[in-house]
Coordinates of all heavy atoms in Angstrom, one line a residue:
M5 N -54.8 37.2 -54.7 CA -55.3 35.9 -54.5 C -54.7 34.9 -55.5 O -54.5 33.8 -55.2 CB -56.9 36.0 -54.7 CG -57.6 34.8 -54.3 SD -57.4 34.6 -52.5 CE -58.4 33.2 -52.2
D6 N -54.4 35.4 -56.7 CA -53.8 34.5 -57.7 C -52.5 34.0 -57.2 O -52.1 32.8 -57.5 CB -53.6 35.3 -59.0 CG -55.0 35.5 -59.7 OD1 -55.9 34.7 -59.5 OD2 -55.0 36.4 -60.6
D7 N -51.7 34.9 -56.6 CA -50.4 34.4 -56.0 C -50.6 33.3 -55.0 O -49.8 32.3 -55.0 CB -49.6 35.6 -55.4 CG -49.1 36.6 -56.4 OD1 -49.0 36.3 -57.6 OD2 -48.9 37.7 -56.0
F8 N -51.6 33.4 -54.2 CA -51.8 32.4 -53.2 C -52.2 31.1 -53.8 O -51.8 30.0 -53.5 CB -52.9 32.8 -52.2 CG -53.2 31.8 -51.1 CD1 -52.2 31.5 -50.1 CD2 -54.4 31.2 -51.0 CE1 -52.5 30.5 -49.2 CE2 -54.7 30.2 -50.1 CZ -53.7 29.9 -49.1
N9 N -53.1 31.2 -54.8 CA -53.5 30.0 -55.6 C -52.3 29.3 -56.2 O -52.2 28.0 -56.2 CB -54.6 30.3 -56.6 CG -55.9 30.6 -56.0 OD1 -56.2 30.2 -54.9 ND2 -56.7 31.4 -56.7
E10 N -51.4 30.1 -56.8 CA -50.2 29.5 -57.4 C -49.3 28.9 -56.4 O -48.8 27.8 -56.6 CB -49.4 30.6 -58.2 CG -50.1 31.1 -59.5 CD -49.4 32.2 -60.1 OE1 -48.1 32.3 -59.9 OE2 -50.0 33.0 -60.8
F11 N -49.2 29.5 -55.2 CA -48.5 28.9 -54.1 C -49.0 27.6 -53.7 O -48.3 26.6 -53.5 CB -48.4 29.9 -53.0 CG -47.7 29.4 -51.7 CD1 -46.3 29.4 -51.6 CD2 -48.5 28.9 -50.7 CE1 -45.7 28.9 -50.5 CE2 -47.8 28.4 -49.5 CZ -46.4 28.4 -49.5
L12 N -50.4 27.5 -53.5 CA -51.0 26.3 -53.1 C -50.7 25.1 -54.1 O -50.4 24.0 -53.7 CB -52.5 26.4 -53.0 CG -53.0 27.2 -51.8 CD1 -54.5 27.3 -51.8 CD2 -52.6 26.5 -50.5
V13 N -50.8 25.5 -55.4 CA -50.6 24.4 -56.4 C -49.1 24.0 -56.3 O -48.8 22.8 -56.3 CB -50.9 25.0 -57.8 CG1 -50.4 24.1 -58.9 CG2 -52.4 25.2 -58.0
K14 N -48.2 24.9 -56.3 CA -46.8 24.6 -56.2 C -46.4 23.9 -55.0 O -45.6 22.9 -55.0 CB -46.0 25.9 -56.4 CG -44.5 25.7 -56.4 CD -43.7 27.0 -56.5 CE -42.2 26.8 -56.3 NZ -41.5 28.0 -56.1
E15 N -46.8 24.3 -53.8 CA -46.3 23.8 -52.6 C -47.2 22.7 -51.9 O -46.7 22.0 -51.0 CB -46.2 25.0 -51.5 CG -45.1 26.0 -51.9 CD -43.7 25.4 -52.0 OE1 -43.4 24.5 -51.2 OE2 -43.0 25.8 -52.9
F16 N -48.4 22.5 -52.4 CA -49.2 21.5 -51.8 C -49.7 20.5 -52.9 O -49.3 19.3 -52.9 CB -50.4 22.0 -51.1 CG -51.3 21.0 -50.5 CD1 -50.9 20.3 -49.4 CD2 -52.5 20.6 -51.1 CE1 -51.7 19.3 -48.8 CE2 -53.3 19.6 -50.6 CZ -52.9 18.9 -49.4
Y17 N -50.5 21.0 -53.8 CA -51.2 20.0 -54.8 C -50.2 19.3 -55.7 O -50.3 18.1 -55.9 CB -52.2 20.8 -55.6 CG -53.4 21.1 -54.8 CD1 -53.7 22.5 -54.4 CD2 -54.3 20.2 -54.3 CE1 -54.8 22.8 -53.7 CE2 -55.4 20.5 -53.5 CZ -55.6 21.8 -53.2 OH -56.7 22.1 -52.4
N18 N -49.1 20.0 -56.1 CA -48.2 19.3 -57.0 C -47.3 18.2 -56.2 O -46.7 17.4 -56.9 CB -47.2 20.3 -57.7 CG -47.9 21.0 -58.8 OD1 -49.0 20.7 -59.2 ND2 -47.3 22.1 -59.2
K19 N -47.3 18.3 -54.9 CA -46.5 17.4 -54.1 C -47.3 16.2 -53.6 O -46.8 15.3 -52.9 CB -45.9 18.1 -53.0 CG -44.9 19.2 -53.5 CD -44.2 19.9 -52.3 CE -43.2 20.9 -52.9 NZ -42.6 21.7 -51.8
I20 N -48.6 16.2 -53.8 CA -49.5 15.1 -53.3 C -49.0 13.7 -53.8 O -48.9 12.8 -53.0 CB -51.0 15.3 -53.7 CG1 -51.5 16.5 -52.9 CG2 -51.8 14.0 -53.4 CD1 -52.9 16.9 -53.3
G21 N -48.6 13.6 -55.1 CA -48.2 12.4 -55.6 C -46.9 11.8 -55.1 O -46.7 10.6 -55.1
M22 N -46.1 12.7 -54.5 CA -44.8 12.3 -53.9 C -45.0 11.6 -52.5 O -44.2 11.0 -52.0 CB -43.9 13.4 -53.7 CG -43.4 14.0 -55.1 SD -42.2 15.3 -54.9 CE -43.3 16.7 -55.2
N23 N -46.2 11.9 -51.9 CA -46.5 11.4 -50.5 C -47.3 10.1 -50.7 O -48.5 10.1 -50.9 CB -47.3 12.4 -49.7 CG -47.4 12.0 -48.3 OD1 -47.4 10.8 -47.9 ND2 -47.7 13.0 -47.4
K24 N -46.6 9.0 -50.5 CA -47.2 7.6 -50.6 C -48.3 7.3 -49.6 O -49.1 6.4 -49.8 CB -46.1 6.5 -50.6 CG -45.0 6.7 -51.6 CD -45.6 6.6 -53.0 CE -44.4 6.7 -54.0 NZ -44.8 7.1 -55.3
T25 N -48.3 8.1 -48.5 CA -49.4 7.8 -47.5 C -50.7 8.4 -47.8 O -51.7 8.1 -47.2 CB -48.9 8.3 -46.1 OG1 -48.8 9.7 -46.1 CG2 -47.6 7.6 -45.7
I26 N -50.7 9.4 -48.8 CA -52.0 10.0 -49.2 C -52.6 9.2 -50.3 O -52.1 9.3 -51.5 CB -51.7 11.5 -49.6 CG1 -51.2 12.3 -48.4 CG2 -53.0 12.1 -50.1 CD1 -50.9 13.7 -48.7
D27 N -53.6 8.4 -50.0 CA -54.2 7.6 -51.0 C -55.8 7.7 -51.0 O -56.4 6.8 -51.5 CB -53.8 6.1 -50.8 CG -54.1 5.6 -49.4 OD1 -54.8 6.4 -48.6 OD2 -53.7 4.5 -49.1
S28 N -56.3 8.8 -50.4 CA -57.7 9.0 -50.4 C -58.0 10.4 -50.3 O -57.2 11.2 -49.8 CB -58.4 8.2 -49.3 OG -58.0 8.7 -48.0
F29 N -59.2 10.8 -50.6 CA -59.7 12.2 -50.5 C -59.6 12.7 -49.0 O -59.2 13.8 -48.7 CB -61.0 12.5 -51.1 CG -60.9 12.5 -52.6 CD1 -61.5 11.5 -53.4 CD2 -60.2 13.4 -53.3 CE1 -61.5 11.5 -54.7 CE2 -60.1 13.4 -54.7 CZ -60.7 12.5 -55.4
P30 N -60.1 11.8 -48.0 CA -60.0 12.3 -46.6 C -58.6 12.6 -46.2 O -58.3 13.5 -45.4 CB -60.6 11.1 -45.9 CG -61.6 10.5 -46.8 CD -60.9 10.6 -48.2
K31 N -57.6 11.8 -46.7 CA -56.2 12.0 -46.3 C -55.7 13.3 -47.0 O -54.9 14.0 -46.4 CB -55.4 10.8 -46.7 CG -55.6 9.6 -45.8 CD -54.7 8.5 -46.1 CE -55.0 7.3 -45.2 NZ -54.1 6.2 -45.5
I32 N -56.2 13.6 -48.2 CA -55.8 14.9 -48.8 C -56.3 16.0 -48.0 O -55.6 17.0 -47.8 CB -56.3 14.9 -50.3 CG1 -55.6 13.9 -51.2 CG2 -56.2 16.3 -50.8 CD1 -56.1 13.8 -52.6
E33 N -57.6 15.9 -47.6 CA -58.2 16.9 -46.8 C -57.4 17.2 -45.5 O -57.2 18.3 -45.1 CB -59.7 16.6 -46.5 CG -60.4 17.7 -45.8 CD -61.9 17.4 -45.7 OE1 -62.4 16.4 -46.1 OE2 -62.6 18.3 -45.2
R34 N -57.1 16.1 -44.8 CA -56.3 16.2 -43.5 C -55.0 16.8 -43.8 O -54.5 17.7 -43.0 CB -56.2 14.9 -42.8 CG -57.5 14.4 -42.2 CD -57.3 13.2 -41.3 NE -56.9 12.0 -42.0 CZ -57.7 11.1 -42.5 NH1 -59.0 11.2 -42.4 NH2 -57.2 10.0 -43.2
A35 N -54.3 16.4 -44.8 CA -53.0 17.0 -45.2 C -53.1 18.5 -45.5 O -52.3 19.3 -45.2 CB -52.4 16.2 -46.3
F36 N -54.2 18.8 -46.2 CA -54.4 20.2 -46.6 C -54.7 21.1 -45.3 O -54.1 22.2 -45.2 CB -55.6 20.3 -47.5 CG -55.8 21.7 -48.1 CD1 -54.8 22.3 -48.8 CD2 -56.9 22.5 -47.8 CE1 -55.0 23.6 -49.3 CE2 -57.1 23.7 -48.3 CZ -56.1 24.3 -49.0
H37 N -55.5 20.6 -44.4 CA -55.7 21.3 -43.1 C -54.4 21.5 -42.4 O -54.1 22.6 -41.8 CB -56.7 20.6 -42.2 CG -58.1 20.8 -42.6 ND1 -58.8 22.0 -42.4 CD2 -59.0 20.0 -43.3 CE1 -60.0 21.9 -42.9 NE2 -60.2 20.7 -43.4
K38 N -53.5 20.5 -42.3 CA -52.2 20.6 -41.7 C -51.4 21.6 -42.4 O -50.7 22.4 -41.7 CB -51.6 19.2 -41.7 CG -50.2 19.2 -40.9 CD -49.7 17.8 -40.9 CE -48.3 17.7 -40.3 NZ -47.7 16.4 -40.2
F39 N -51.4 21.6 -43.7 CA -50.6 22.5 -44.5 C -51.0 24.0 -44.2 O -50.2 24.9 -44.0 CB -50.8 22.2 -46.0 CG -50.1 23.2 -46.9 CD1 -48.8 23.0 -47.2 CD2 -50.8 24.2 -47.5 CE1 -48.1 23.9 -48.1 CE2 -50.2 25.1 -48.3 CZ -48.8 25.0 -48.6
L40 N -52.4 24.2 -44.2 CA -52.9 25.5 -43.9 C -52.6 26.0 -42.5 O -52.3 27.2 -42.3 CB -54.4 25.6 -44.2 CG -54.8 25.6 -45.6 CD1 -56.3 25.6 -45.8 CD2 -54.2 26.7 -46.4
R41 N -52.6 25.1 -41.5 CA -52.3 25.5 -40.1 C -50.8 25.9 -40.1 O -50.5 26.9 -39.5 CB -52.5 24.3 -39.2 CG -54.0 24.1 -38.7 CD -54.1 23.2 -37.6 NE -53.4 21.9 -37.7 CZ -53.9 20.9 -38.4 NH1 -55.1 20.9 -38.9 NH2 -53.2 19.8 -38.5
N42 N -50.0 25.2 -40.7 CA -48.6 25.6 -40.8 C -48.4 26.9 -41.5 O -47.7 27.8 -41.0 CB -47.7 24.5 -41.5 CG -46.3 24.9 -41.5 OD1 -45.6 25.0 -40.5 ND2 -45.7 25.1 -42.7
Y43 N -49.1 27.0 -42.6 CA -49.0 28.3 -43.4 C -49.4 29.5 -42.6 O -48.8 30.5 -42.6 CB -49.8 28.1 -44.7 CG -49.8 29.4 -45.6 CD1 -48.8 29.5 -46.5 CD2 -50.7 30.4 -45.4 CE1 -48.8 30.7 -47.3 CE2 -50.7 31.5 -46.2 CZ -49.7 31.6 -47.2 OH -49.7 32.8 -47.9
N44 N -50.5 29.4 -41.9 CA -51.1 30.5 -41.2 C -50.5 30.8 -39.8 O -50.5 31.9 -39.4 CB -52.6 30.3 -41.1 CG -53.3 30.5 -42.4 OD1 -53.0 31.4 -43.1 ND2 -54.3 29.7 -42.6
F45 N -50.0 29.8 -39.2 CA -49.6 29.9 -37.8 C -48.1 29.7 -37.5 O -47.7 29.9 -36.4 CB -50.5 29.1 -36.9 CG -51.9 29.4 -36.9 CD1 -52.8 28.6 -37.6 CD2 -52.4 30.5 -36.3 CE1 -54.1 28.9 -37.7 CE2 -53.8 30.9 -36.4 CZ -54.6 30.1 -37.1
S46 N -47.4 29.2 -38.5 CA -46.0 28.8 -38.2 C -45.0 29.5 -39.2 O -43.9 29.9 -38.9 CB -45.7 27.3 -38.2 OG -46.5 26.7 -37.2
R47 N -45.4 29.5 -40.5 CA -44.6 30.0 -41.6 C -44.4 31.5 -41.5 O -45.4 32.3 -41.4 CB -45.2 29.6 -42.9 CG -44.3 30.0 -44.1 CD -45.1 29.9 -45.4 NE -46.2 30.8 -45.4 CZ -46.1 32.1 -45.8 NH1 -45.0 32.6 -46.2 NH2 -47.2 32.8 -45.8
T48 N -43.2 31.9 -41.5 CA -42.8 33.4 -41.5 C -42.9 33.9 -42.9 O -42.3 33.3 -43.8 CB -41.4 33.6 -40.8 OG1 -41.4 33.0 -39.5 CG2 -41.1 35.0 -40.7
I49 N -43.5 35.1 -43.0 CA -43.5 35.8 -44.3 C -42.1 36.2 -44.6 O -41.4 36.9 -43.8 CB -44.5 36.9 -44.3 CG1 -45.9 36.4 -44.0 CG2 -44.4 37.8 -45.6 CD1 -46.9 37.5 -43.7
S50 N -41.6 36.0 -45.8 CA -40.2 36.2 -46.1 C -39.9 37.6 -46.7 O -38.8 38.1 -46.7 CB -39.6 35.1 -47.0 OG -40.4 35.1 -48.2
N51 N -40.9 38.2 -47.3 CA -40.6 39.5 -47.9 C -41.8 40.5 -47.9 O -42.9 40.0 -47.5 CB -40.1 39.4 -49.4 CG -41.1 38.6 -50.2 OD1 -42.3 38.6 -50.0 ND2 -40.5 37.8 -51.1
G52 N -41.6 41.7 -48.2 CA -42.7 42.7 -48.2 C -42.8 43.4 -46.9 O -42.0 43.2 -46.0
C53 N -43.9 44.1 -46.8 CA -44.0 45.0 -45.5 C -44.3 44.1 -44.3 O -44.2 44.6 -43.2 CB -45.1 46.0 -45.7 SG -46.8 45.3 -46.1
N54 N -44.7 42.9 -44.5 CA -45.0 42.0 -43.3 C -43.9 40.9 -43.1 O -44.1 40.0 -42.4 CB -46.3 41.3 -43.6 CG -47.5 42.2 -43.6 OD1 -47.6 43.1 -42.7 ND2 -48.3 42.2 -44.6
A55 N -42.7 41.1 -43.7 CA -41.6 40.2 -43.5 C -41.3 40.0 -42.0 O -41.3 40.9 -41.3 CB -40.4 40.7 -44.3
G56 N -41.1 38.7 -41.7 CA -40.8 38.4 -40.3 C -42.0 38.0 -39.4 O -41.9 37.6 -38.3
K57 N -43.2 38.2 -40.0 CA -44.4 37.9 -39.2 C -45.1 36.7 -39.8 O -44.7 36.3 -40.9 CB -45.4 39.1 -39.4 CG -44.9 40.4 -38.8 CD -45.9 41.5 -39.0 CE -45.4 42.8 -38.5 NZ -46.4 43.9 -38.8
I58 N -46.0 36.1 -39.0 CA -46.8 35.0 -39.6 C -48.1 35.5 -40.0 O -48.6 36.6 -39.6 CB -47.0 33.9 -38.5 CG1 -47.7 34.4 -37.3 CG2 -45.7 33.2 -38.2 CD1 -48.1 33.3 -36.3
P59 N -48.8 34.9 -41.0 CA -50.0 35.4 -41.5 C -51.1 35.7 -40.5 O -51.8 36.7 -40.5 CB -50.5 34.3 -42.5 CG -49.2 33.8 -43.0 CD -48.3 33.7 -41.8
A60 N -51.2 34.9 -39.5 CA -52.3 35.1 -38.4 C -52.0 36.4 -37.7 O -52.9 37.1 -37.3 CB -52.3 33.9 -37.5
E61 N -50.7 36.7 -37.4 CA -50.3 37.9 -36.8 C -50.7 39.1 -37.6 O -51.3 40.1 -37.1 CB -48.8 37.9 -36.5 CG -48.3 39.1 -35.8 CD -46.8 39.0 -35.7 OE1 -46.1 38.1 -36.2 OE2 -46.2 39.9 -35.0
V62 N -50.5 39.1 -38.9 CA -50.9 40.2 -39.8 C -52.4 40.4 -39.8 O -52.8 41.5 -39.7 CB -50.4 39.9 -41.3 CG1 -50.9 40.9 -42.2 CG2 -48.8 39.8 -41.3
I63 N -53.1 39.3 -39.9 CA -54.6 39.4 -39.9 C -55.1 40.0 -38.6 O -56.0 40.9 -38.6 CB -55.3 38.1 -40.1 CG1 -54.9 37.5 -41.5 CG2 -56.8 38.1 -39.9 CD1 -55.4 38.4 -42.6
L64 N -54.5 39.6 -37.4 CA -55.0 40.2 -36.1 C -54.6 41.7 -36.0 O -55.4 42.5 -35.5 CB -54.4 39.4 -35.0 CG -55.0 38.0 -34.7 CD1 -54.2 37.3 -33.7 CD2 -56.5 38.2 -34.3
E65 N -53.4 42.0 -36.5 CA -53.0 43.4 -36.5 C -54.0 44.3 -37.4 O -54.4 45.4 -37.0 CB -51.6 43.6 -37.0 CG -50.5 43.2 -36.0 CD -49.1 43.2 -36.6 OE1 -49.0 43.5 -37.8 OE2 -48.2 42.9 -35.8
R66 N -54.3 43.7 -38.5 CA -55.2 44.5 -39.4 C -56.6 44.6 -38.8 O -57.3 45.6 -38.9 CB -55.3 43.7 -40.8 CG -56.1 44.5 -41.8 CD -55.9 44.0 -43.2 NE -54.5 44.1 -43.6 CZ -53.9 43.3 -44.4 NH1 -54.6 42.3 -45.0 NH2 -52.7 43.4 -44.8
A67 N -57.1 43.5 -38.1 CA -58.4 43.5 -37.5 C -58.4 44.5 -36.4 O -59.4 45.3 -36.2 CB -58.7 42.1 -36.9
A68 N -57.3 44.7 -35.6 CA -57.2 45.7 -34.6 C -57.3 47.1 -35.1 O -58.0 47.9 -34.6 CB -56.0 45.5 -33.7
K69 N -56.6 47.3 -36.3 CA -56.7 48.6 -36.9 C -58.1 48.9 -37.4 O -58.5 50.1 -37.4 CB -55.7 48.6 -38.1 CG -54.3 48.9 -37.8 CD -53.5 49.0 -39.0 CE -52.0 49.1 -38.7 NZ -51.2 49.1 -40.0
N70 N -58.8 47.9 -37.8 CA -60.2 48.1 -38.3 C -61.2 48.1 -37.3 O -62.4 48.2 -37.6 CB -60.5 47.1 -39.4 CG -59.6 47.3 -40.7 OD1 -59.2 48.4 -41.0 ND2 -59.4 46.2 -41.4
G71 N -60.8 48.0 -36.0 CA -61.8 48.1 -34.9 C -62.6 46.8 -34.7 O -63.7 46.9 -34.3
M72 N -62.0 45.7 -34.9 CA -62.7 44.4 -34.8 C -63.1 44.2 -33.3 O -62.4 44.7 -32.4 CB -61.8 43.2 -35.1 CG -62.4 41.9 -34.9 SD -61.3 40.6 -35.2 CE -62.2 39.2 -34.7
D73 N -64.3 43.6 -33.1 CA -64.8 43.3 -31.8 C -64.1 42.1 -31.3 O -64.5 40.9 -31.6 CB -66.3 43.1 -31.9 CG -66.9 42.7 -30.5 OD1 -66.2 42.8 -29.5 OD2 -68.0 42.3 -30.5
F74 N -63.0 42.2 -30.5 CA -62.2 41.1 -30.1 C -63.0 40.3 -29.0 O -62.5 39.2 -28.6 CB -60.9 41.6 -29.5 CG -59.9 41.9 -30.7 CD1 -59.6 43.1 -31.0 CD2 -59.3 40.8 -31.4 CE1 -58.7 43.4 -32.1 CE2 -58.4 41.1 -32.4 CZ -58.2 42.4 -32.8
D75 N -64.1 40.8 -28.5 CA -64.9 40.0 -27.5 C -65.4 38.8 -28.2 O -65.7 37.8 -27.5 CB -66.1 40.9 -27.0 CG -65.6 42.0 -26.1 OD1 -64.5 41.9 -25.6 OD2 -66.4 43.0 -26.0
T76 N -65.6 38.8 -29.5 CA -66.1 37.6 -30.2 C -65.0 36.7 -30.8 O -65.3 35.6 -31.3 CB -67.1 38.0 -31.3 OG1 -66.3 38.7 -32.3 CG2 -68.3 38.8 -30.8
L77 N -63.8 37.1 -30.6 CA -62.6 36.4 -31.2 C -62.6 35.0 -30.7 O -62.3 34.0 -31.4 CB -61.3 37.1 -31.0 CG -60.1 36.5 -31.6 CD1 -60.2 36.4 -33.1 CD2 -58.9 37.3 -31.2
L78 N -62.8 34.8 -29.4 CA -62.7 33.5 -28.8 C -63.7 32.5 -29.4 O -63.5 31.3 -29.5 CB -62.8 33.5 -27.3 CG -61.6 34.2 -26.6 CD1 -61.8 34.3 -25.1 CD2 -60.3 33.4 -26.9
L79 N -64.9 33.1 -29.7 CA -65.9 32.2 -30.3 C -65.5 31.8 -31.7 O -65.8 30.6 -32.1 CB -67.3 33.0 -30.4 CG -67.9 33.4 -29.1 CD1 -69.1 34.3 -29.4 CD2 -68.3 32.1 -28.4
W80 N -64.8 32.6 -32.5 CA -64.4 32.2 -33.8 C -63.3 31.2 -33.7 O -63.2 30.2 -34.4 CB -63.8 33.5 -34.5 CG -64.9 34.3 -35.1 CD1 -65.3 35.5 -34.6 CD2 -65.8 34.0 -36.1 NE1 -66.4 36.0 -35.3 CE2 -66.7 35.1 -36.3 CE3 -65.9 33.0 -37.0 CZ2 -67.7 35.2 -37.3 CZ3 -66.9 33.0 -38.0 CH2 -67.8 34.1 -38.1
I81 N -62.4 31.3 -32.7 CA -61.3 30.4 -32.5 C -61.9 29.0 -32.1 O -61.5 28.0 -32.6 CB -60.3 30.9 -31.5 CG1 -59.5 32.1 -32.0 CG2 -59.3 29.7 -31.1 CD1 -58.6 32.8 -31.0
L82 N -62.9 29.0 -31.2 CA -63.5 27.8 -30.8 C -64.2 27.1 -31.9 O -64.2 25.9 -32.1 CB -64.5 28.1 -29.6 CG -65.3 26.9 -29.1 CD1 -64.3 25.9 -28.5 CD2 -66.3 27.4 -28.0
A83 N -64.9 27.9 -32.8 CA -65.6 27.3 -33.9 C -64.6 26.7 -34.9 O -64.8 25.6 -35.4 CB -66.3 28.4 -34.7
L84 N -63.4 27.3 -35.1 CA -62.4 26.7 -35.9 C -61.8 25.4 -35.3 O -61.7 24.4 -36.0 CB -61.2 27.7 -36.1 CG -60.0 27.2 -36.9 CD1 -60.4 26.9 -38.3 CD2 -58.9 28.3 -36.8
L85 N -61.6 25.4 -34.0 CA -61.1 24.2 -33.4 C -62.1 23.1 -33.4 O -61.7 21.9 -33.7 CB -60.7 24.5 -31.9 CG -59.5 25.4 -31.7 CD1 -59.4 25.8 -30.2 CD2 -58.3 24.8 -32.2
N86 N -63.4 23.4 -33.3 CA -64.4 22.4 -33.4 C -64.5 21.8 -34.8 O -64.7 20.7 -35.0 CB -65.8 22.9 -32.9 CG -65.9 23.0 -31.5 OD1 -65.2 22.3 -30.7 ND2 -66.7 23.9 -31.0
Q87 N -64.3 22.7 -35.8 CA -64.3 22.3 -37.2 C -63.1 21.3 -37.4 O -63.3 20.3 -38.2 CB -64.2 23.5 -38.1 CG -64.1 23.1 -39.6 CD -63.8 24.3 -40.4 OE1 -63.8 25.5 -39.9 NE2 -63.5 24.1 -41.6
L88 N -62.0 21.5 -36.8 CA -60.8 20.7 -37.1 C -60.7 19.5 -36.2 O -59.8 18.7 -36.3 CB -59.6 21.6 -36.9 CG -59.4 22.8 -37.9 CD1 -58.2 23.6 -37.6 CD2 -59.3 22.3 -39.3
K89 N -61.7 19.3 -35.3 CA -61.6 18.2 -34.4 C -61.6 16.9 -35.3 O -62.3 16.8 -36.3 CB -62.9 18.1 -33.5 CG -62.7 18.7 -32.2 CD -63.9 18.4 -31.3 CE -63.8 19.1 -30.0 NZ -65.0 19.1 -29.2
G90 N -60.8 16.0 -34.8 CA -60.8 14.7 -35.6 C -59.7 14.7 -36.7 O -59.5 13.7 -37.3
V91 N -59.1 15.9 -36.9 CA -58.0 15.9 -37.9 C -56.8 15.3 -37.3 O -56.3 15.8 -36.3 CB -57.8 17.4 -38.4 CG1 -56.6 17.5 -39.3 CG2 -59.0 17.9 -39.1
D92 N -56.2 14.3 -37.9 CA -55.1 13.6 -37.4 C -53.8 14.4 -37.8 O -53.5 14.5 -39.0 CB -55.0 12.2 -37.9 CG -53.9 11.4 -37.3 OD1 -53.1 12.0 -36.5 OD2 -53.8 10.2 -37.6
T93 N -53.2 15.0 -36.8 CA -52.0 15.8 -37.1 C -50.8 15.0 -37.4 O -49.7 15.5 -37.8 CB -51.7 16.8 -36.0 OG1 -51.5 16.1 -34.8 CG2 -52.8 17.8 -35.8
N94 N -50.8 13.7 -37.3 CA -49.7 12.8 -37.6 C -49.6 12.4 -39.0 O -48.7 11.7 -39.4 CB -49.8 11.5 -36.7 CG -49.6 11.8 -35.3 OD1 -48.8 12.7 -34.9 ND2 -50.3 11.2 -34.4
E95 N -50.6 12.8 -39.8 CA -50.6 12.5 -41.3 C -50.2 13.7 -42.1 O -50.3 14.8 -41.7 CB -52.0 12.0 -41.7 CG -52.3 10.7 -41.0 CD -53.6 10.1 -41.5 OE1 -53.9 10.2 -42.8 OE2 -54.4 9.6 -40.7

């Protein structure tokens, strides 16, 4: 977890000041959601046993190994999408 926190500081929080369009807390929050979506669903892991995969893929594989009830997966995805409604992906 410490590695992830260091990554967030280095790759997101330290760069906020360089983005002139981020001038409020709501804009920071929207930018953070966009950053996390990219991190979890687009960014490929570069090293380790999961190299070449995206984090969401790793989590789903682990959930399948642990016998997750995938019948409820769509409800979780819908809840996530509803939570992110109104997030402007152009910012």
Side-chain angles (χ1 to χ4, degrees):
M5 193 66 174
D6 288 336
D7 289 341
F8 181 67
N9 288 336
E10 287 176 28
F11 176 80
L12 284 177
V13 169
K14 179 182 173 190
E15 297 298 325
F16 180 75
Y17 290 109
N18 285 347
K19 295 179 179 181
I20 290 173
M22 292 183 260
N23 187 336
K24 302 294 183 206
T25 64
I26 297 178
D27 57 4
S28 67
F29 287 114
K31 288 182 179 181
I32 290 172
E33 186 175 0
R34 286 191 295 270
F36 186 65
H37 281 285
K38 183 178 177 180
F39 176 85
L40 286 179
R41 279 193 310 276
N42 180 65
Y43 179 89
N44 287 319
F45 299 104
S46 300
R47 184 193 63 83
T48 304
I49 298 169
S50 59
N51 53 36
C53 63
N54 295 310
K57 299 177 183 177
I58 59 171
E61 181 181 5
V62 173
I63 295 299
L64 286 174
E65 287 174 357
R66 189 168 296 150
K69 279 184 186 177
N70 292 334
M72 179 186 171
D73 177 12
F74 283 103
D75 291 339
T76 61
L77 182 61
L78 292 176
L79 293 174
W80 285 106
I81 292 172
L82 182 60
L84 176 63
L85 292 173
N86 283 335
Q87 174 189 350
L88 297 176
K89 263 187 189 174
V91 173
D92 187 353
T93 58
N94 293 321
E95 292 185 42

